[in-house]
């Protein structure tokens, strides 16, 4: 049982590392089905992370009337919420279309897909200034201007 747990953790860590390196160049090579599958998996992971976070908060808070969320948890919740859009919701084709439009601009092709999802969701919800800041940060990180 212990070996199975270790093996599954190694596989998850490998998959996480692999999936974080997709850029717009990779995105433009995918067909619609693969793009939709990626978005569905990404959004599902966000929902699961949110559920785990709420469970951990509920566990820590249990029985302590003076408990307050640590600042790190508040920031993590805010960060997590930027990867989903109130306006777009879980409409995978709509989100795919918005990401396609984002990558139509050649200067955005070096930006990672996870960052593009965040930027597109922020723009959809009207937080243009923050989205543009992430575009700038992502380009700097990737060495673009």
């Amino acid at each position: 049982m212990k070996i199975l747990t270790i093996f599954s953790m190694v596989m998850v860590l490998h998959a996480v590392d692999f999936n974080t390196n997709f850029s717009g160049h990779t995105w433009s090579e995918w067909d619609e089905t693969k793009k939709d599958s990626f978005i569905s998996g990404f959004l599902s992971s966000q929902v699961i992370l949110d559920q785990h976070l709420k469970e951990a908060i509920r566990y820590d808070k249990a029985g302590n009337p003076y408990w307050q969320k640590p600042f790190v948890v508040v920031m993590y919740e805010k960060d997590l919420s930027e990867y989903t859009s109130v306006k777009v919701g879980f409409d995978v084709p709509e989100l795919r279309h918005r990401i396609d439009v984002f990558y139509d601009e050649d200067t955005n092709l070096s930006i990672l897909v996870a960052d593009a999802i965040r930027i597109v969701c922020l723009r959809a919800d009207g937080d243009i200034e923050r989205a543009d800041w992430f575009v700038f940060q992502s380009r700097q990180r990737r060495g673009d201007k």
Side-chain angles (χ1 to χ4, degrees):
M1 184 66 175
K2 190 174 186 179
I3 293 173
L4 181 61
T5 304
I6 292 171
F7 177 73
S8 63
M9 285 299 286
V10 169
M11 293 306 292
V12 166
L13 291 175
H14 176 69
V16 167
D17 181 49
F18 179 71
N19 287 338
T20 59
N21 294 322
F22 294 135
S23 69
H25 299 289
T26 307
W27 179 266
S28 61
E29 295 171 359
W30 290 347
D31 62 3
E32 286 185 4
T33 305
K34 193 164 186 176
K35 290 176 183 179
D36 287 351
S37 297
F38 181 86
I39 292 171
S40 295
F42 187 88
L43 293 176
S44 297
S45 72
Q46 297 300 313
V47 169
I48 290 169
L49 281 172
D50 188 48
Q51 288 173 347
H52 284 298
L53 182 62
K54 287 178 181 172
E55 285 268 326
I57 290 170
R58 187 172 34 251
Y59 178 77
D60 282 351
K61 187 178 176 181
N64 185 351
Y66 303 107
W67 187 86
Q68 288 187 352
K69 286 184 193 176
F71 182 69
V72 167
V73 173
V74 173
M75 291 306 297
Y76 186 75
E77 285 177 325
K78 183 180 182 325
D79 221 30
L80 193 60
S81 71
E82 291 179 344
Y83 287 96
T84 53
S85 169
V86 173
K87 184 175 180 183
V88 176
F90 292 100
D91 186 357
V92 173
E94 173 69 19
L95 188 55
R96 175 185 23 89
H97 172 71
R98 288 174 182 260
I99 295 169
D100 285 339
V101 170
F102 176 77
Y103 282 131
D104 280 346
E105 189 176 328
D106 289 338
T107 56
N108 293 338
L109 287 173
S110 65
I111 296 174
L112 298 177
V113 176
D115 293 337
I117 291 172
R118 181 185 221 173
I119 292 163
V120 165
C121 287
L122 285 168
R123 285 183 177 169
D125 288 343
D127 199 350
I128 307 298
E129 188 175 322
R130 187 153 172 82
D132 289 345
W133 184 82
F134 279 114
V135 169
F136 177 72
Q137 288 294 93
S138 298
R139 287 180 183 162
Q140 271 193 331
R141 206 176 358 185
R142 305 296 281 178
D144 298 344
K145 300 203 182 252

